[in-house]
Amino acid sequence: MLGAAPRYDAIVVGAGIQGSFAAYHLAKRGRRALLLEQFPLPHSRGSSHGQSRIIRSTYPQPHYARAMPECYRLWAQLEAEAGVQLHRQTGLLVLGAEGSPAFGACLQSLAQHGVPRELLSAQELPRRFPGVRAYGGETAVFEPTAGVLRADKALRAVQDLFLQAGGALRDGEKVVAINPGPVVTVRTSAGVHRAGSLVITAGPWTNKLLAPLGLQLPLQPLRVSVCYWKEKVPGTYGSAAGFPCFLSLRTSQTPHDVYGLPASEYLGMVKVCYHHGCPVDPDERDREPEGSALPDIQILRGFVSRYLPGLEPEPAVVETCMYTITPDEDFVLDRHPQFSNIVIGAGFSGHGFKLAPVVGKVLCELSLGQAPGCDMEPFRIQRFPGQRRAAL
Ligand SMILES: Cc1cc2nc3c(=O)[nH]c(=O)nc-3n(C[C@H](O)[C@H](O)[C@H](O)COP(=O)(O)OP(=O)(O)OC[C@H]3O[C@@H](n4cnc5c(N)ncnc54)[C@H](O)[C@@H]3O)c2cc1C
Ligand SMILES: O=C(O)[C@@H]1CCCCN1
């Protein structure tokens, strides 16, 4: 088979939300694209499963805030193409200590990007949102245009539209070896595929695929608890009652942000989670972390009892998801330093879902040898000095 013409213009490894969007953009541009997924779809073993994700413009980092108008436009386009409602506007409440740098950066970004917003003092907050108490005297800003993405429906819609645009999707097919070159050869559990370029969007498994390609990135997979808390009075924390998404910025008692979404997945239960988790090997995700109690759940119990007095302070449902975090929590969107037709999209650090339409577009452009229209500096591999390994 040596020298055989590649059947595909591009192969995308990993059918989470990022790989699915990259494949969708490739197929929409008329490219022959193959999307490979190790597990039978749909699955709940990565980072893109579950019913809900927050979409917001409140972003202290300007490179994400700038991308949000295009994200909203592309999500709306996807909804129109798929004929499915994927976005529900609920608003987002951000709680932070007055004068704290993190809260100040959010306010500044909202003002700079002309995002509608409403400032609320600690006293005003419970009048406007009766379920929430500013226990530590925090102030709040409300972003009314933020909301919830229906994550599992969105993932399905992108994959369906990719197939309709002529793409090929093979699930239950794990990539086991990558042979770089002008034509990239990919060996899987079921066969061999060739393409002019390769996009690696393997979530927490990314470094496992990169190791034989002489590259290890500072990506830390984390096992994250997704907790649902029961309302004391049914209906008080639903979006019909005007309860929004919220994001409570880190404090000395909660060293990472706490966030929540109005009740929707389970009747009468609100999703409230800690924006952190335990380091994990993604293939060992279900092994119990060391130590008897999960510190994240302890922190959440305290938060719920202090800030959300209308919820039972014990999680009624706990599920699992994974983050892949980078040291600066910025994404990696770049070409392999040695093989320019291998493109990497990784390290979405627990905030990548809302940005996936633009991430997929950038990965598609990189794999076509084009320069993306946005500033790529925050996403470059070079920002991590000394991460490359001479394993080849
Ligand atoms: C609890 C939780 C809450 C979150 N909340 C938000 C939020 O509110 N808003 C937001 O914007 N984002 C949020 N995120 C982040 C967002 O969900 C992730 O950034 C996003 O899903 C990452 O997608 P991905 O495609 O990179 O990874 P994944 O979904 O993990 O996809 C990678 C895929 O690659 C496949 N794969 C790996 N190795 C191979 C191989 N060798 N061969 C074939 N396939 C392979 C995997 O099976 C997997 O399906 C949250 C994440 C979690 C876990
Ligand atoms: O991306 C988001 O909007 C949320 C913020 C809180 C942590 C989880 N991700």
Side-chain angles (χ1 to χ4, degrees):
M1 287 296 281
L2 211 75
R7 181 159 164 203
Y8 300 104
D9 296 313
I11 295 174
V12 180
V13 186
I17 196 65
Q18 313 297 1
S20 299
F21 257 114
Y24 161 89
H25 285 290
L26 282 159
K28 284 277 178 186
R29 284 162 175 74
R31 299 311 203 274
R32 295 165 304 165
L34 170 64
L35 177 58
L36 292 170
E37 169 54 49
Q38 63 181 339
F39 298 121
L41 290 169
H43 76 85
S44 56
R45 312 293 310 163
S47 303
S48 300
H49 59 281
Q51 293 179 28
S52 60
R53 294 292 187 278
I54 297 173
I55 180 165
R56 59 182 158 113
S57 298
T58 308
Y59 251 115
Q61 306 95 323
H63 39 282
Y64 300 117
R66 274 197 300 266
M68 285 316 299
E70 187 178 9
C71 283
Y72 274 106
R73 190 177 59 70
L74 290 175
W75 279 116
Q77 184 182 317
L78 191 82
E79 278 185 321
E81 284 176 16
V84 182
Q85 195 200 340
L86 301 173
H87 173 244
R88 189 161 44 96
Q89 189 174 336
T90 62
L92 171 81
L93 187 66
V94 181
L95 287 173
E98 198 168 0
S100 78
F103 189 66
C106 288
L107 291 181
Q108 198 186 349
S109 165
L110 285 167
Q112 201 175 339
H113 296 93
V115 181
R117 63 208 176 275
E118 186 185 335
L119 270 169
L120 296 164
S121 68
Q123 294 72 37
E124 286 166 330
L125 186 65
R127 286 200 289 274
R128 182 83 163 76
F129 297 105
V132 190
R133 200 193 297 155
Y135 180 86
E138 292 89 347
T139 60
V141 62
F142 181 60
E143 179 200 329
T145 47
V148 178
L149 289 166
R150 298 169 80 184
D152 49 1
K153 292 202 163 42
L155 184 63
R156 176 76 194 271
V158 191
Q159 290 167 355
D160 285 351
L161 290 168
F162 164 66
L163 292 172
Q164 282 170 30
L169 169 57
R170 297 175 71 123
D171 62 345
E173 187 165 336
K174 179 176 178 166
V175 171
V176 293
I178 296 167
N179 198 359
V183 170
V184 185
T185 304
V186 167
R187 193 155 56 79
T188 71
S189 45
V192 173
H193 309 285
R194 292 180 182 79
S197 67
L198 182 74
V199 180
I200 299 179
T201 43
W205 287 268
T206 300
N207 266 339
K208 295 194 184 213
L209 284 166
L210 291 179
L213 298 173
L215 186 65
Q216 284 294 268
L217 298 172
L219 301 173
Q220 177 61 65
L222 296 179
R223 174 188 142 134
V224 177
S225 308
V226 184
C227 303
Y228 297 86
W229 310 73
K230 203 161 179 279
E231 296 169 310
K232 290 178 182 165
V233 177
T236 40
Y237 288 85
S239 51
F243 187 70
C245 295
F246 71 86
L247 178 62
S248 176
L249 301 177
R250 67 189 78 164
T251 63
S252 52
Q253 275 175 318
T254 57
H256 297 275
D257 299 346
V258 174
Y259 68 96
L261 289 80
S264 69
E265 278 92 343
Y266 299 105
L267 196 64
M269 288 189 210
V270 183
K271 180 168 161 180
V272 181
C273 308
Y274 194 45
H275 183 48
H276 200 61
C278 314
V280 74
D281 173 339
D283 291 315
E284 306 276 338
R285 196 198 74 171
D286 296 308
R287 183 176 289 185
E288 273 308 309
E290 306 211 336
S292 53
L294 294 169
D296 54 350
I297 295 181
Q298 278 167 15
I299 289 170
L300 286 170
R301 279 192 196 106
F303 180 90
V304 166
S305 59
R306 291 192 297 270
Y307 288 83
L308 303 165
L311 297 180
E312 301 286 354
E314 189 61 36
V317 174
V318 180
E319 295 168 343
T320 302
C321 193
M322 280 189 286
Y323 282 1
T324 309
I325 57 164
T326 61
D328 53 15
E329 297 199 5
D330 277 328
F331 309 161
V332 172
L333 307 174
D334 206 350
R335 298 192 170 92
H336 187 292
Q338 200 175 346
F339 309 113
S340 63
N341 60 346
I342 298 184
V343 171
I344 301 155
F348 294 101
S349 302
H351 66 106
F353 205 97
K354 68 182 85 54
L355 286 138
V358 166
V359 164
K361 187 176 149 205
V362 164
L363 296 174
C364 162
E365 288 165 347
L366 288 172
S367 81
L368 296 176
Q370 299 168 355
C374 58
D375 174 18
M376 294 302 293
E377 280 311 311
F379 310 117
R380 289 210 194 285
I381 290 172
Q382 274 172 352
R383 74 183 194 272
F384 309 122
Q387 290 301 327
R388 197 163 146 201
R389 285 210 188 136
L392 287 175

